[in-house]
């Protein structure tokens, strides 16, 4: 029963949101028409007679909406509630401080209310001639049934049915609002005839299907296909999706149809076909490789589909507070194009499924601006890998991958890296991680990036951090199984980072290659204070580190303490190639390695290379340095433990 209730909520949200995303609402209106199928009219105090209601019309205070036969209207109320109005229904919407009222005179409506969007103490009331339903965060259907005749010839009493699909509703007698309410819970119905107290009964799945049947409508192109396509604005899709998740956080979804057109009708089947707002597909198993198979429980799944979104795929506004216990997106053999970010967070988002990646691409060609973007104080916490890509030939990021700005925070709490690539190819025009601002924070319990089975990444940097906190409990970068990472600039650039910045190891290579095209593998500047709890680099099983610059550069009075060594070789056949001419002649040697020192910097090095036998470090010339330290207050300490 509970599973069906959740599916019923999915269906209802689709009915409310699916046909057409809403344009931006006028500040003067209390709502906006997001769908119009058939004919409806609106009576307004300022108008001499009712006018036809149109798609995208604002709904104003005390507007009286009437639907004709075989017609459906959907209204978005200030981003807090979705109202679907069935045929031959009449309702009026009013507002006062802390209270919005939908006065249903006749007919039937479905309402979804997002508790997270409501202010403290705020409610939405649904009034009928004999009942008042007070709603704070619920999905329900309310209908009025008028008896055809009275046995005693007097007025016929109306019957109000309140069907609750999700949540809890207080229902009062209209003629005695001070009396204790009747509480109606999920998958329950209260039927009230006239002024009688009413009867509470369970709502069966079959009955719920019948209740929802006449709330459906065919997709409408009320303004022509071209204009309809214009209003499929990605920002409004994102707002609608966020509202759906706020109404029922365990449900929801997003995206457009295969060709960027109207979202498809829902598929309501077993738990492997839960979806909303977008084309639905059963989540299949992975196509090969290591790591977990897809969960088959994602909010949205795409299977062999083409998806185009002009803006962000999924976003949480600054008022949003979303917790998901399932993956957001799982794809198979699809092509995704997003003009903005895959995930944009300005509010609070928690990905609580520790067993599955939040986003699973298998294999999918994806082009987007950012993988995840946090701004405006956004908070994103993930219990597992945020993005796992299995065997995709092209994951193209035109900006930075993970972006944390504006006093925002990103945290992964599980043992898995934030991004995991298994046999995939990713190209980033910017950094894999970009974090800026003294109050911004990135905490990576499982590290930043894992590459396995020949995964290839080219990026401007692995991480660029300016003033923000960076704290990792695992290597920022892990390369295994003939994988390769190429950094076009300093691989990890830390500027003015605070004393809490730390990580156990910068990178661990196993049968893989790490190339720094220009700059340093680790660059510290602007009074940065950093500690590394183990070895800076570990190379195992014939791995190669190519430095067209230096391994380490300190400047601007920065300080670095490394508990372990600069390089730790595991096994034999590992290579480090160093190309630069910093010293302009033979470099000073400290603990057996060439060091470029200027400005009175302090350098203390013990045991900088571990297990050197059978492995090689090759310098392009005697003037090539492995590390560079400059600035009178800059200091490097390598303990070599």
């Amino acid at each position: 029963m509970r599973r069906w209730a959740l599916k019923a909520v999915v269906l209802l949200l689709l009915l409310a949101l699916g046909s057409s995303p809403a344009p931006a609402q006028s500040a003067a209106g209390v709502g906006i028409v997001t769908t119009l199928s058939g004919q409806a009219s609106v009576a307004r105090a300022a108008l001499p007679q009712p006018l036809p209601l149109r798609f995208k019309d604002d709904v104003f205070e005390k507007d009286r909406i009437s639907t004709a036969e075989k017609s459906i209207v959907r209204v978005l109320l200030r981003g807090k509630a979705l109202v679907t109005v069935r045929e031959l229904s009449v309702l009026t919407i009013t507002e006062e401080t802390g209270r919005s009222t939908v006065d249903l005179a006749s007919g039937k409506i479905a309402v979804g209310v997002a508790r997270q969007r409501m202010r403290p103490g705020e409610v939405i009331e649904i009034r009928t001639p004999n009942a008042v339903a007070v709603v704070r965060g619920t999905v329900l259907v309310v209908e009025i049934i008028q008896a055809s005749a009275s046995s005693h010839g007097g007025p016929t009493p109306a019957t109000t049915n309140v069907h609750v699909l999700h949540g809890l509703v207080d229902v009062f007698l209209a003629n005695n609002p001070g009396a204790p309410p009747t509480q109606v819970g999920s998958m329950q119905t209260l039927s009230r005839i006239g002024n009688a107290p009413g009867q509470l009964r369970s709502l069966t799945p079959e009955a719920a299907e019948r209740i929802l049947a006449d709330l459906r409508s065919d997709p409408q192109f009320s303004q022509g296909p071209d204009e309809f396509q214009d209003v499929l604005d990605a920002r409004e899709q994102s707002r609608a999706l966020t509202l759906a998740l706020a109404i029922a956080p365990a449900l929801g979804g997003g995206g457009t149809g295969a060709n960027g057109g109207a979202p498809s009708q829902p598929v309501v089947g077993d738990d492997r076909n839960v979806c909303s707002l977008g084309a639905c597909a059963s989540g299949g198993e992975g196509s090969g490789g290591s790591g977990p198979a897809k969960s088959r429980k994602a909010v949205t799944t795409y299977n062999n589909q083409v998806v185009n979104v002009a803006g962000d795929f999924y976003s949480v506004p600054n008022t949003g507070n979303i917790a998901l216990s399932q993956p957001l997106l799982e794809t198979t053999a699809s092509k995704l194009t997003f003009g903005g970010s895959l995930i944009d967070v300005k509010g609070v988002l928690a990905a609580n499924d520790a067993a599955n990646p939040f986003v699973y691409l298998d294999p999918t060609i994806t082009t987007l601006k950012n993988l995840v973007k946090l701004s405006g104080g956004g908070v994103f916490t993930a219990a597992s890998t945020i993005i796992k890509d299995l065997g995709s030939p092209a994951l193209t990021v035109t900006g930075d991958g993970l972006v944390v700005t504006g006093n925002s925070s990103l945290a992964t709490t599980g043992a898995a890296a934030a991004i995991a690539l298994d046999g995939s190819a990713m190209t980033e025009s910017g950094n894999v991680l970009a974090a800026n601002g003294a109050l911004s924070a990135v905490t990576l319990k499982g590290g930043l990036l894992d590459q396995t089975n020949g995964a290839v990444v080219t990026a401007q940097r692995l991480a660029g951090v300016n003033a923000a906190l960076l704290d990792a409990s695992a290597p920022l970068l892990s390369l295994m199984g003939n994988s390769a990472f190429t950094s076009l600039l300093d691989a990890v650039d830390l500027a003015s980072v605070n004393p809490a910045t730390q990580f156990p190891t910068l990178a661990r290579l196993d049968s893989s290659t790490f190339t720094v095209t220009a700059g340093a593998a680790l660059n510290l500047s602007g009074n940065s204070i950093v500690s590394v709890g183990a070895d800076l680099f570990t190379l195992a099983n014939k791995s190669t580190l190519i430095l067209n610059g230096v391994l380490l550069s300190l400047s601007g009075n920065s300080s670095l303490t490394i508990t372990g060594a600069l390089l730790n070789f595991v096994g034999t056949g590992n290579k480090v190639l160093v190309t630069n001419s910093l010293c302009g002649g033979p470099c000073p040697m400290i603990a057996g390695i060439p060091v470029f020192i200027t400005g009175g910097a302090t350098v203390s090095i013990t045991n900088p290379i571990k297990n050197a036998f059978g492995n090689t470090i090759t310098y392009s010339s005697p003037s090539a340095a492995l590390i560079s330290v400059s600035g009178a207050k800059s200091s490097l300490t390598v303990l070599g433990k």
Side-chain angles (χ1 to χ4, degrees):
M1 180 74 73
R2 183 178 180 275
R3 287 185 177 183
W4 197 95
L6 295 179
K7 292 168 189 171
V9 177
V10 173
L11 178 58
L12 185 55
L13 295 178
L14 279 155
L15 295 175
L17 292 171
S19 295
S20 55
Q25 183 176 313
S26 167
V30 299
I32 190 167
V33 177
T34 65
T35 299
L36 175 58
S37 174
Q39 295 180 334
S41 62
V42 57
R44 189 171 294 156
L47 300 175
Q49 60 186 15
L51 292 179
L53 193 65
R54 298 172 301 176
F55 174 57
K56 296 196 297 182
D57 272 358
D58 281 326
V59 176
F60 295 94
E61 171 83 7
K62 297 183 180 180
D63 275 1
R64 185 178 177 88
I65 297 173
S66 303
T67 54
E69 189 175 2
K70 297 181 181 180
S71 300
I72 294 285
V73 172
R74 296 188 179 103
V75 178
L76 176 64
L77 298 180
R78 293 201 183 280
K80 299 174 184 177
L82 299 158
V83 180
T84 299
V85 188
R86 198 202 68 169
E87 65 173 344
L88 303 176
S89 299
V90 178
L91 78 159
T92 304
I93 299 172
T94 59
E95 277 196 351
E96 58 186 74
T97 302
R99 186 182 306 272
S100 299
T101 301
V102 179
D103 196 331
L104 181 64
S106 62
K108 178 177 177 180
I109 60 175
V111 182
V113 180
R115 179 185 294 272
Q116 291 89 338
R117 296 291 185 85
M118 307 285 281
R119 293 187 296 271
E122 186 178 15
V123 297
I124 290 180
E125 287 186 352
I126 303 168
R127 291 181 172 269
T128 72
N130 64 333
V132 179
V134 178
V135 181
R136 293 177 178 84
T138 312
V139 180
L140 75 161
V141 176
V142 178
E143 61 181 337
I144 298 173
I145 299 175
Q146 192 72 43
S148 57
S150 171
S151 59
H152 53 74
T156 57
T159 297
T160 294
N161 292 325
V162 179
H163 311 287
V164 178
L165 301 181
H166 177 75
L168 186 66
V169 177
D170 289 335
V171 181
F172 296 84
L173 285 167
N175 67 336
N176 188 13
T182 300
Q183 289 196 328
V184 187
S186 296
M187 295 302 284
Q188 288 185 321
T189 291
L190 177 66
S191 295
R192 178 162 284 167
I193 302 175
N195 294 322
Q199 179 183 4
L200 187 65
R201 66 183 186 275
S202 296
L203 182 62
T204 67
E206 293 77 16
E209 287 279 12
R210 291 192 295 270
I211 290 167
L212 294 173
D214 57 2
L215 292 165
R216 298 181 174 92
S217 69
D218 295 329
Q220 299 296 303
F221 295 90
S222 57
Q223 295 185 320
D226 290 340
E227 293 181 26
F228 181 80
Q229 290 294 332
D230 289 342
V231 302
L232 286 175
D233 180 85
R235 179 173 57 187
E236 299 305 329
Q237 285 192 4
S238 174
R239 290 177 181 173
L241 170 59
T242 300
L243 179 59
L245 290 172
I247 293 172
L251 308 168
T256 58
N259 296 308
S264 68
Q265 288 297 103
V267 176
V268 180
D270 62 23
D271 287 344
R272 291 177 291 178
N273 279 328
V274 177
C275 57
S276 82
L277 291 184
C280 300
S282 176
E285 297 293 339
S287 60
S290 62
K294 290 190 287 295
S295 70
R296 294 179 176 265
K297 297 185 295 183
V299 170
T300 303
T301 61
Y302 295 121
N303 191 343
N304 194 28
Q305 291 176 258
V306 176
V307 180
N308 295 283
V309 176
D312 303 319
F313 172 76
Y314 174 68
S315 66
V316 179
N318 55 15
T319 57
N321 190 338
I322 306 300
L324 289 176
S325 58
Q326 70 211 89
L328 173 68
L329 172 66
E330 293 179 350
T331 71
T332 302
S334 296
K335 183 177 181 180
L336 313 179
T337 303
F338 306 135
S341 303
L342 176 61
I343 301 169
D344 181 88
V345 181
K346 295 182 178 66
V348 178
L349 174 62
N352 294 327
D353 186 350
N356 299 289
F358 194 52
V359 173
Y360 197 128
L361 309 175
D362 170 30
T364 293
I365 297 174
T366 306
T367 303
L368 39 65
K369 184 175 182 180
N370 310 114
L371 296 171
V372 178
K373 182 180 179 181
L374 284 83
S375 60
V379 177
F380 182 19
T381 304
S384 183
T385 293
I386 298 174
I387 296 167
K388 178 179 176 62
D389 191 298
L390 178 59
S392 295
L395 173 55
T396 304
V397 181
T398 60
D400 297 310
L402 307 180
V403 183
V404 184
T405 63
N407 305 334
S408 301
S409 64
L410 170 67
T412 58
T413 60
I419 303 172
L421 306 179
D422 187 343
S424 308
M426 180 170 76
T427 302
E428 300 215 33
S429 298
N431 307 322
V432 177
L433 168 66
N436 296 281
L439 297 180
S440 295
V442 179
T443 304
L444 304 170
K445 186 175 180 181
L448 173 59
L449 175 63
D450 277 2
Q451 296 175 228
T452 59
N453 294 326
V456 177
V457 174
T458 300
Q460 193 174 50
R461 293 185 179 91
L462 174 67
V465 180
N466 186 354
L469 164 70
L470 174 62
D471 189 356
S473 303
L476 289 182
L477 175 65
S478 178
L479 300 175
M480 298 180 65
N482 299 312
S483 295
F485 184 94
T486 299
S487 177
L488 303 179
L489 300 174
D490 300 311
V492 177
D493 187 14
L494 307 179
S496 302
V497 295
N498 65 46
T501 297
Q502 57 187 343
F503 40 89
T505 298
L506 190 147
R508 180 175 295 150
L509 285 60
D510 190 335
S511 302
S512 297
T513 301
F514 186 178
T515 302
V516 180
T517 303
L522 174 61
N523 180 54
L524 274 64
S525 62
N527 302 307
S528 292
I529 302 174
V530 178
S531 63
V532 177
D535 305 308
L536 187 64
F537 268 84
T538 298
L539 282 71
N541 300 318
K542 299 182 179 179
S543 292
T544 301
L545 175 60
I546 301 173
L547 301 170
N548 291 305
V550 294
L551 179 73
L552 173 62
S553 175
L554 275 70
S555 62
N557 304 327
S558 296
S559 173
L560 173 64
T561 301
I562 302 173
T563 301
L566 293 172
L567 296 168
N568 180 14
F569 296 115
V570 178
T572 60
N574 299 293
K575 300 178 182 179
V576 177
L577 308 177
V578 183
T579 302
N580 65 67
S581 56
L582 285 176
C583 296
C587 290
M589 304 295 288
I590 300 178
I593 63 169
V595 179
F596 179 64
I597 304 176
T598 61
T602 301
V603 177
S604 174
I605 299 177
T606 302
N607 193 22
I609 312 297
K610 292 182 180 178
N611 307 312
F613 181 79
N615 302 285
T616 60
I617 302 177
T618 302
Y619 298 95
S620 60
S621 71
S623 63
L626 184 64
I627 61 177
S628 171
V629 186
S630 63
K633 295 183 180 180
S634 292
S635 65
L636 169 64
T637 302
V638 180
L639 300 176
K641 295 181 179 180

